[in-house]
Amino acid sequence: MEREGPLLSSEEVESPINRVVFKIQKSVSMAISQARQRIVQGFVVFSVTFFLLWIAAFLYGSFYYSYMPKAAYSTPVDYYYRTDCELPGSFKCSHPVANISLMKNKKHVLTFGQSYRLSLQLEMPESPVNQEIGMFMVKATCFSQDGGQVASSARALSASSSHFGMLRYRSDLVKTLETVLLFPAFMTATAEQKQVLEVELFSEYTDDPYAPSDTAIIEIMSNKVQIYSSRLVINAHFTGLRYLLFNFPLISAVVGVSTNFIFLSALFVLSYLRQVLKLRQKPEELTPISPQAMTQRTML
């Protein structure tokens, strides 16, 4: 029988296995470190992006609420009758008058430079008096804080008008049929025989920044008109950028936040590159100068 070759020792057999295990451990540790590094980098990028996006949204929101005035404002109108007159039956002292404040929370309702539409809504019963009263005047006057008259408006109106100054004509047969059909609603007070009239006081009213309007006086120039309730409605008439912001809020928000985000990102990238360049230049400035270089500089 032939002799067998020399047997390998246990150390010689284990050394290749240890090398393989060591390589595997090294590759695993490198993969774990790279994964950790990528996770940290991703978290930093996500945090910076979220922070810049939040700042961009905050800037757009601050601009929107500071630049955009209130689109609509409504307040009830309470009338009183003048009694400070010589003759008790005087027409000037008997018509309804209302004093309305144009301030809310110590702030002006009207924004300077913005045009508004002021209208008066009158809830009036379909009574024979209002049917026969004919035309009457509704006058509105705005006053500043010092009592000076800012603007005045007067509109002619029929007592039975909803939009064009006249009540909707309905024949006696239609009224009778309506009364019969809606009799249960009339009896339970869930419906009333009334109409809402809207009077446009100012079509494009712009407040004066040097003499802003604080109060408005509304006078109904009739001593026979019958009114259930009344409200002053103020609607802003937007143009230009305000028109786009109000009528297309979602598109405007996306464009505004995106613009702010791009601008902030550019500033952040530029500042980051500047800091990196500074860090790269500092080691070169701090490198020690050899004595030979010093002697060459002194000789020069």
Side-chain angles (χ1 to χ4, degrees), residues 68-73 108-119 202-207 233-238 242:
M68 287 294 295
K70 194 173 182 180
Y73 176 75
H108 292 276
V109 174
L110 306 178
T111 303
F112 306 142
Q114 174 64 44
S115 60
Y116 291 90
R117 178 181 180 270
L118 278 69
S119 60
F202 296 96
S203 58
E204 292 184 1
Y205 179 76
T206 304
D207 203 7
V233 180
I234 301 175
N235 294 311
H237 179 65
F238 295 126
R242 286 175 175 171

Side-chain angles (χ1 to χ4, degrees), residues 265-284:
S265 300
L267 289 180
F268 178 79
V269 171
L270 291 176
S271 61
Y272 177 77
L273 293 177
R274 185 178 179 183
Q275 294 295 329
V276 170
L277 292 176
K278 282 185 178 180
L279 293 176
R280 289 183 178 178
Q281 291 176 0
K282 282 183 179 180
E284 297 179 358

Side-chain angles (χ1 to χ4, degrees), residues 30-97:
M30 290 179 62
I32 293 174
S33 62
Q34 290 178 359
R36 288 179 180 176
Q37 186 176 3
R38 290 180 180 178
I39 291 172
V40 172
Q41 291 177 353
F43 179 75
V44 171
V45 171
F46 174 78
S47 300
V48 172
T49 304
F50 178 78
F51 181 69
L52 294 178
L53 187 62
W54 185 85
I55 293 178
F58 176 77
L59 292 176
Y60 175 78
S62 302
F63 167 76
Y64 183 86
Y65 286 105
S66 62
Y67 181 72
M68 287 294 295
K70 194 173 182 180
Y73 176 75
S74 177
T75 180
V77 179
D78 298 324
Y79 296 98
Y80 63 92
Y81 289 87
R82 292 182 178 178
T83 58
D84 53 345
C85 55
E86 297 179 357
L87 299 176
S90 176
F91 174 77
K92 295 183 180 180
C93 297
S94 60
H95 58 267
V97 181

Side-chain angles (χ1 to χ4, degrees), residues 23-283:
K23 289 181 180 180
I24 293 173
Q25 291 177 352
K26 187 177 181 181
S27 60
V28 171
S29 61
M30 290 179 62
I32 293 174
S33 62
Q34 290 178 359
R36 288 179 180 176
Q37 186 176 3
R38 290 180 180 178
I39 291 172
V40 172
Q41 291 177 353
F43 179 75
V44 171
V45 171
F46 174 78
S47 300
V48 172
T49 304
F50 178 78
F51 181 69
L52 294 178
L53 187 62
W54 185 85
I55 293 178
F58 176 77
L59 292 176
Y60 175 78
S62 302
F63 167 76
Y64 183 86
Y65 286 105
S66 62
Y67 181 72
M68 287 294 295
K70 194 173 182 180
Y73 176 75
S74 177
T75 180
V77 179
D78 298 324
Y79 296 98
Y80 63 92
Y81 289 87
R82 292 182 178 178
T83 58
D84 53 345
C85 55
E86 297 179 357
L87 299 176
S90 176
F91 174 77
K92 295 183 180 180
C93 297
S94 60
H95 58 267
V97 181
N99 189 347
I100 304 170
S101 175
L102 298 179
M103 303 283 292
K104 185 178 181 181
N105 299 327
K106 298 182 180 181
K107 295 182 179 179
H108 292 276
V109 174
L110 306 178
T111 303
F112 306 142
Q114 174 64 44
S115 60
Y116 291 90
R117 178 181 180 270
L118 278 69
S119 60
L120 181 67
Q121 291 182 354
L122 300 172
E123 186 179 352
M124 304 174 64
E126 294 180 343
S127 62
V129 175
N130 286 337
Q131 292 283 350
E132 298 175 359
I133 196 172
M135 300 289 293
F136 66 89
M137 299 289 295
V138 177
K139 183 180 179 182
T141 308
C142 297
F143 293 91
S144 59
Q145 186 176 6
D146 56 359
Q149 180 175 331
V150 179
S152 179
S153 172
R155 292 289 184 270
L157 173 71
S158 172
S160 44
S161 166
S162 62
H163 184 70
F164 296 98
M166 295 292 294
L167 266 180
R168 299 285 182 181
Y169 173 75
R170 295 186 302 168
S171 63
D172 296 336
L173 179 60
V174 173
K175 292 180 181 179
T176 304
L177 291 176
E178 181 186 15
T179 304
V180 172
L181 293 176
L182 298 179
F183 180 76
F186 291 149
M187 291 298 295
T188 56
T190 56
E192 296 180 353
Q193 292 179 327
K194 62 181 180 180
Q195 290 189 15
V196 178
L197 312 180
E198 185 174 358
V199 187
E200 186 181 81
L201 303 176
F202 296 96
S203 58
E204 292 184 1
Y205 179 76
T206 304
D207 203 7
D208 188 1
Y210 299 101
S213 302
D214 286 351
T215 58
I217 304 297
I218 296 179
E219 302 177 67
I220 299 180
M221 313 297 288
S222 176
N223 59 347
K224 296 181 180 180
V225 64
Q226 297 176 349
I227 302 172
Y228 282 148
S229 63
S230 178
R231 296 189 70 86
L232 177 66
V233 180
I234 301 175
N235 294 311
H237 179 65
F238 295 126
T239 57
L241 181 60
R242 286 175 175 171
Y243 177 83
L244 297 176
L245 293 176
F246 180 75
N247 291 280
F248 305 98
L250 184 59
I251 298 176
S252 301
V254 171
V255 173
V257 173
S258 300
T259 304
N260 292 337
F261 179 75
I262 293 172
F263 178 73
L264 294 174
S265 300
L267 289 180
F268 178 79
V269 171
L270 291 176
S271 61
Y272 177 77
L273 293 177
R274 185 178 179 183
Q275 294 295 329
V276 170
L277 292 176
K278 282 185 178 180
L279 293 176
R280 289 183 178 178
Q281 291 176 0
K282 282 183 179 180

